[in-house]
Amino acid sequence: MALIVKSFSGSDATPFFDDLARLRITVFREFPYLYDGNPDYERTYLATYARSDGSFFVLAFDDEAVVGAATATPMATETEEVKAPFLASGRNPQDFLYFGESVLLPSYRGQGIGLAFFEGREQQARKLGLANCTFCAVERPEDHPRRPKDYAPLTRFWQKRGYSHHPELRTTFSWRDLDEESESPKPLSFWIRTLAE
């Protein structure tokens, strides 16, 4: 297994969009996202993301196969759903790099790739002169019927990486869960790390 992690700026990741679309659909079907995605939407989403000024992709390869991906973009280029909680709390989106997602096939977890995803995006934040990194995570009830008995949230990993939970910073994204007929809003809250000088 020859695992390699590479970084790409914006549209340089275009040749891998079909692989990334399949990867997102596969990983986001898992709890807690339970996302029922489709390839056409994914390709459109990725193309839009890549056109954002300062967007960044970190990809993990097993030989030539894409087995993991993480994305980031300056929050100033993000949607109102992302920016609104920060503006409402007096924070300036211009000061943040926003992490869009981090997805990795199950058989490749626990090998340091998740750490490499964070390090690569934090390095991009420093390169862009942004003092803070942030991402949001979906919130599901403890008694959710699809919650696996052995489910372990990533909160401890994020905390060890220096991220603090800010439950007062909240937003909603809409998607269709596996058991839903149509999209519905899902609550998410943000985590933030201020990078050292």
Side-chain angles (χ1 to χ4, degrees):
M1 193 181 297
L3 291 177
I4 300 173
V5 177
K6 298 181 180 179
S7 299
F8 300 85
S9 295
S11 59
D12 290 344
T14 301
F16 308 105
F17 279 1
D18 285 346
D19 292 332
L20 293 177
R22 286 191 293 270
L23 183 66
R24 278 174 47 89
I25 290 170
T26 299
V27 174
F28 281 145
R29 286 181 70 86
E30 300 173 13
F31 188 88
Y33 287 91
L34 305 174
Y35 168 62
D36 190 10
N38 70 79
D40 290 339
Y41 169 81
E42 292 298 323
R43 282 189 288 270
T44 300
Y45 163 80
L46 290 164
T48 301
Y49 203 93
R51 287 195 296 270
S52 297
D53 189 29
S55 65
F56 189 70
F57 293 75
V58 187
L59 307 183
F61 296 85
D62 183 351
D63 291 327
E64 296 184 1
V66 179
V67 298
T71 64
T73 192
M75 184 182 280
T77 69
E78 264 294 346
T79 62
E80 290 306 310
E81 289 90 344
V82 172
K83 293 186 290 188
F86 287 77
L87 292 167
S89 66
R91 294 174 170 89
N92 187 350
Q94 301 274 358
D95 296 333
F96 290 84
L97 185 71
Y98 174 71
F99 296 173
E101 61 255 306
S102 183
V103 291
L104 184 63
L105 292 176
S107 59
Y108 295 90
R109 296 171 190 169
Q111 301 180 50
I113 297 174
L115 182 60
F117 284 168
F118 272 84
E119 289 175 343
R121 292 178 293 181
E122 290 161 3
Q123 183 177 355
Q124 175 72 354
R126 292 185 175 97
K127 179 180 176 182
L128 296 175
L130 300 175
N132 306 283
C133 295
T134 187
F135 61 90
C136 58
V138 68
E139 297 181 342
R140 297 286 191 177
E142 292 289 331
D143 61 352
H144 192 283
R146 281 187 173 267
R147 184 185 181 96
K149 291 182 179 179
D150 61 349
Y151 174 69
L154 293 172
T155 52
R156 293 183 71 179
F157 171 74
W158 298 332
Q159 289 167 342
K160 286 179 66 175
R161 190 68 207 155
Y163 288 81
S164 298
H165 189 207
H166 287 262
E168 76 281 8
L169 298 176
R170 309 183 65 78
T171 190
T172 58
F173 294 165
S174 292
W175 66 81
R176 189 176 72 180
D177 271 2
L178 297 177
D179 297 327
E180 292 182 322
E181 293 295 324
S182 59
E183 293 186 354
S184 66
K186 312 296 189 300
L188 301 94
S189 58
F190 285 83
W191 292 69
I192 295 174
R193 179 184 177 188
T194 299
L195 301 175
E197 293 288 337

